[in-house]
Amino acid sequence: MKKITLAIGLCLISMLSISCNSKDKCIQDFDEMVTDIELNSDYYTSEDWEMVEASYEDFLESIEEYQDELTTADYKEIGRITARYHKIILSMTSEALEYGIDASSSYMEGYMEEMGDGKDIDVSDEDYEAAMNDALKAIDKLYEEYETDYLD
């Protein structure tokens, strides 16, 4: 797995840092980078995502050098590629949120089963509120882990 991570990182870094010697090449490299992310993001580790973010920032800096040369068509193409990149990021965020909701639901189910111990009991509002607060804390923890791994 570390070999894959290293290969992905080297590929992303080399795409933007070495060959961005014209605006067209810079846009082409950005397109290739996003295509690579679309094809391989399921296998990315948190280190890979850090490299992706760094490569994206490198692209933004590189394309800025050609700002005076960019045409309306160039801006349109950059916008299209950027939208593809953001769709990937939003998809990951959506999946993490869905996971958090599923985990919270499972947490509450387990909590309520244990509280009831298989018997019908009347749970007070305070106990229910405490359980919900615990579930929300669990969701917050999951989101913080996701944020640390993928969004920082």
Side-chain angles (χ1 to χ4, degrees):
M1 184 57 96
K2 289 188 179 203
K3 289 181 181 179
I4 292 173
T5 299
L6 182 59
I8 291 169
L10 291 174
C11 179
L12 291 172
I13 291 169
S14 66
M15 271 192 237
L16 289 176
S17 61
I18 294 174
S19 59
C20 232
N21 55 12
S22 73
K23 72 174 177 112
D24 293 330
K25 184 66 173 149
C26 197
I27 294 169
Q28 177 185 351
D29 289 349
F30 181 45
D31 186 43
E32 290 172 4
M33 181 188 87
V34 173
T35 299
D36 183 67
I37 295 167
E38 289 169 334
L39 296 173
N40 299 304
S41 63
D42 289 343
Y43 308 104
Y44 283 8
T45 65
S46 57
E47 291 86 13
D48 295 327
W49 284 112
E50 288 174 14
M51 286 185 257
V52 164
E53 186 177 336
S55 295
Y56 178 68
E57 294 297 323
D58 288 346
F59 165 74
L60 294 176
E61 288 176 18
S62 297
I63 201 65
E64 196 172 295
E65 294 176 23
Y66 302 104
Q67 188 172 3
D68 294 338
E69 300 174 35
L70 295 172
T71 66
T72 308
D74 293 332
Y75 280 113
K76 184 175 182 178
E77 182 67 7
I78 292 167
R80 187 186 64 74
I81 300 167
T82 302
R84 287 175 37 219
Y85 175 79
H86 287 153
K87 281 169 52 176
I88 297 166
I89 302 302
L90 290 172
S91 173
M92 289 176 32
T93 303
S94 174
E95 289 171 13
L97 181 58
E98 186 176 313
Y99 175 78
I101 290 169
D102 289 344
S104 172
S105 176
S106 296
Y107 177 90
M108 285 304 299
E109 184 178 328
Y111 184 89
M112 295 309 288
E113 284 174 3
E114 185 61 29
M115 287 295 292
D117 197 25
K119 302 175 190 134
D120 289 332
I121 62 166
D122 186 25
V123 177
S124 71
D125 288 341
E126 292 84 22
D127 288 339
Y128 182 77
E129 186 175 334
M132 288 303 293
N133 284 335
D134 287 345
L136 291 173
K137 286 178 187 174
I139 290 173
D140 285 343
K141 183 178 180 198
L142 287 170
Y143 183 74
E144 286 173 11
E145 290 172 5
Y146 168 78
E147 189 174 45
T148 300
D149 290 343
Y150 299 105
L151 300 180
D152 285 343

